[in-house]
Amino acid sequence: MTKNPWPVPQPELSPTTHPALAATARAAARAYQAARTAHTRAELREEVAGGADGTPTMRVDAIVEAAIAEAAAEAGANLLSEEAGFVDNGSAATLVIDPVDGSANAALGVPLSCFAGALVIDDQPVEALTVWFDTGRAWSAKAGEPTPFRTSGRTVLKGASVCLMRPKRGTEDAWMRIANAADRIRVLCTTCLETMLVAEGSVDAFADPGSDTHRLMDLIAALVTVPAAGGALLDLHGRPLTFSLDLTRRWSGIAAATPALADELISTILG
């Protein structure tokens, strides 16, 4: 079978979710469903353009982002997205969105991909929303307010369950140091979803062991959600994660159940 036949459910959103975030998340789910219906796996994975962040744009990304851009404009919010870059709709509110995190998974039908975004007022992220496409599960958080879900509370790496990015050239030794110290390692290839698993306590931590892969939209939802759930979201080298229209900026994100676990992850990666 060359298409993915499974349906994409509508997101299970809280009634308190900001209307612009809710509208773009629903538009993303509808567009992803339409894309899976209309295109084969190979067509969805085809690179059709170059994104504003300097990385190739798959067809699945382009389809979903177009729907998000339309919804953002209707909501009267600006949009900062990895493919289109900054779309100025004349608002103090900007939606920073990763339309499809885990694009290769999404294209091929691996059920590990998501929509992730944050509402930024002026330059401050105030609310975040992440939606797991294949289940409809959603995690929402508001800056400075506790969430109903909590991290595991783990403080040490020994015995921990850790999600890691796949090993990339130059990070192999650091990757193995974490793998040898932790109890269990997972590689799911979707940072935004993996950081939400940290926030809800399903895993203890997520780490990029030094590849500097992450862009603003990969981490901004976690920047709001993980601390609100009791955890920590840091960069491996201590670089602040701040709102900027410069999509060339990169980080190595560390999400952990506690600040103590984040510190041990960082020290282990750096050796």
Side-chain angles (χ1 to χ4, degrees):
M1 185 174 293
T2 60
K3 292 183 179 179
N4 181 358
W6 300 105
V8 179
Q10 280 297 295
E12 299 172 1
L13 302 182
S14 165
T16 64
T17 301
H18 189 279
L21 276 173
T24 50
R26 292 188 178 109
R30 289 193 300 268
Y32 182 38
Q33 172 69 83
R36 295 209 309 199
T37 301
H39 295 282
T40 66
R41 291 176 168 94
E43 289 170 344
L44 290 177
R45 196 176 185 185
E46 183 182 357
E47 294 175 359
V48 296
D53 65 348
T55 61
T57 300
M58 292 184 190
R59 179 172 276 108
V60 66
D61 296 310
I63 291 171
V64 175
E65 188 185 64
I68 287 171
E70 183 178 348
E74 289 177 357
N78 306 329
L79 176 67
L80 181 63
S81 183
E82 59 184 5
E83 318 304 341
F86 182 62
V87 179
D88 188 353
N89 291 318
S91 175
T94 298
L95 297 170
V96 181
I97 288 179
D98 192 338
V100 184
D101 185 65
S103 300
N105 286 347
L108 295 176
V110 177
L112 293 167
S113 64
C114 64
F115 161 98
L119 175 67
V120 176
I121 303 297
D122 295 323
D123 63 353
Q124 295 299 310
V126 298
E127 185 174 342
L129 175 66
T130 302
V131 176
W132 186 351
F133 278 130
D134 276 271
T135 68
R137 286 174 61 182
W139 297 264
S140 59
K142 296 182 179 180
E145 298 182 16
T147 60
F149 46 89
R150 308 300 291 169
T151 73
S152 68
R154 177 171 286 278
T155 59
V156 296
L157 184 54
K158 183 179 180 180
S161 173
V162 180
C163 286
L164 286 174
M165 296 194 71
R166 67 186 185 278
K168 297 186 178 182
R169 184 167 297 178
T171 69
E172 297 92 342
D173 290 345
W175 202 99
M176 288 307 303
R177 284 195 293 272
I178 297 294
N180 289 332
D183 177 64
R184 189 175 296 274
I185 298 296
R186 293 180 175 85
V187 180
L188 305 182
C189 299
T190 169
T191 291
C192 296
L193 184 55
E194 290 167 287
T195 54
M196 292 306 102
L197 297 179
V198 175
E200 72 168 23
S202 297
V203 299
D204 299 308
F206 164 82
D208 171 2
S211 71
D212 277 1
T213 293
H214 292 131
R215 302 144 301 181
L216 179 66
M217 52 278 301
D218 293 312
L219 297 173
I220 195 166
L223 181 67
V224 175
T225 308
V226 174
L233 191 287
L234 302 172
D235 170 67
L236 177 65
H237 299 292
R239 295 164 292 194
L241 183 69
T242 54
F243 174 72
S244 169
L245 300 183
D246 180 4
L247 294 184
T248 67
R249 298 175 67 193
R250 295 290 187 271
W251 294 267
S252 290
I254 307 290
T258 59
L261 179 56
D263 289 344
E264 186 177 355
L265 277 165
I266 290 171
S267 63
T268 302
I269 290 169
L270 296 178

